[in-house]
Amino acid sequence: MHKPLIGAFLAALLLGAGVTPAAAAASVQAREAATETTPTAKAVTFAGTVALSNCSGSVVRSPDSAPTDPALVLSNGHCLETGFPGPGEVLVDRPSTRTFTLLDASGSGVGTLKASRIAYGTMTDTDLSLYELTSTYQQIDDSYGIQALELETAHPVAGTAITVASGYWKRTYSCDIDGFVHQLKEGRWTWKDSVRYTPECRTIGGTSGSPVIDDATGKVVAVNNTGNESGQECTDNNPCEVDENGEVTVREGINYAQQTYTMVPCIGTGSKIDLDREGCGLPKP
């Protein structure tokens, strides 16, 4: 995973034991300066993205969401304040008081949003979390002039130009969808039909949970979650690809995301997650 940046765990989780948080942050910023892609004249901005205490995220809606529905924040399952869900573990409708810094188009924080619950979270088959907020979409628009990012309803296409927008770092990464992975294995977890980026998207710790945005439509097609850091095979922070025949491929330096179209049918009236709705592709508890 692109590790969540959690206080005392920053040194151990981000860059290895023995590195202080200050040194870790400095090292990350140095690497970032060398690898980030700066925003260009596209429709993609930071508007609607959020910064978590340890990760990135975004305010999202389905095409059928109503202005009066509670807003939803999308991030990774491994970014949950409750810790990494174990294989097979699915969290649904858990109380939460987590807060998020809402960003405007330029990446400036304009307000604080608060969760009422973890609507959904898992690291099984995918790596995502959805928080239900105490604010509606309309209230966020009225207060900050910011609209939620719309979720794409169809499977993305290889070759699509995308932008990964990190609210944590206030950085963007631009590349293409290189292809899709039958199974992506990392440590104890396995994810299905993952998005593989072309090498230009060199995402890092703290970009976890960033929306992956189709440059042409402005819609969210995936959520950024991991990358192979040192060429190891199927270990923590070094996911490997497994094809339909069980053949394993390791791509050092390549990063990945989890598709989001399968969760759109799960979002019902009032932003409630209903895993029994027709077409819902999220794992059940």
Side-chain angles (χ1 to χ4, degrees):
M1 281 73 69
H2 285 309
K3 290 74 58 187
L5 305 182
I6 304 175
F9 297 104
L10 176 58
L13 293 181
L14 180 61
L15 296 173
V19 181
T20 67
S27 178
V28 166
Q29 289 171 337
R31 287 165 52 197
E32 183 61 18
T35 60
E36 74 167 276
T37 56
T38 55
T40 58
K42 300 176 182 177
V44 176
T45 71
F46 292 106
T49 64
V50 300
L52 286 67
S53 58
N54 59 346
C55 285
S56 301
S58 57
V59 181
V60 296
R61 65 176 181 86
S62 77
D64 296 329
S65 294
T68 54
D69 288 342
L72 296 173
V73 162
L74 169 68
S75 190
N76 285 147
H78 78 260
C79 294
L80 288 166
E81 70 269 34
T82 52
F84 289 11
E89 184 178 3
V90 176
L91 284 68
V92 179
D93 198 22
R94 300 285 185 90
S96 176
T97 57
R98 194 163 196 184
T99 58
F100 313 88
T101 301
L102 179 66
L103 305 185
D104 65 10
S106 68
S108 297
V110 293
T112 299
L113 305 177
K114 185 177 181 179
S116 62
R117 66 192 71 253
I118 299 170
Y120 184 87
T122 193
M123 289 177 66
T124 298
D125 294 348
T126 186
D127 181 11
L128 66 83
S129 60
L130 281 170
Y131 287 87
E132 182 180 319
L133 301 184
T134 58
S135 304
T136 67
Y137 293 111
Q138 188 64 60
Q139 287 170 334
I140 293 173
D141 192 0
D142 289 344
S143 297
Y144 308 109
I146 293 175
Q147 298 182 347
L149 300 175
E150 184 174 338
L151 294 163
E152 176 58 69
T153 60
H155 192 292
V157 177
T160 298
I162 54 172
T163 297
V164 182
S166 170
Y168 185 92
W169 289 114
K170 300 178 179 62
R171 308 289 187 187
T172 60
Y173 304 77
S174 295
C175 60
D176 294 342
I177 294 177
D178 186 49
F180 305 95
V181 182
H182 176 63
Q183 290 186 335
L184 190 66
K185 291 184 176 289
E186 179 175 341
R188 298 185 296 150
W189 294 276
T190 300
W191 304 307
K192 298 178 180 179
D193 200 19
S194 303
V195 173
R196 180 177 61 241
Y197 305 144
T198 53
E200 295 81 12
C201 279
R202 299 184 61 83
T203 49
I204 59 173
T207 64
S208 289
S210 300
V212 180
I213 301 169
D214 183 323
D215 289 349
T217 66
K219 296 181 181 181
V220 176
V221 297
V223 57
N224 179 68
N225 82 306
T226 195
N228 187 292
E229 295 183 358
S230 58
Q232 296 179 30
E233 184 177 305
C234 312
T235 63
D236 288 349
N237 311 316
N238 290 281
C240 64
E241 300 182 11
V242 183
D243 68 13
E244 292 85 345
N245 300 315
E247 182 176 344
V248 176
T249 301
V250 174
R251 302 179 191 270
E252 183 176 359
I254 295 299
N255 295 282
Y256 302 89
Q258 302 306 309
Q259 298 185 52
T260 50
Y261 79 98
T262 57
M263 77 180 187
V264 176
C266 312
I267 303 173
T269 303
S271 297
K272 299 303 180 185
I273 304 303
D274 183 354
L275 302 179
D276 293 321
R277 293 190 84 210
E278 183 178 358
C280 177
L282 293 179
K284 298 180 179 180

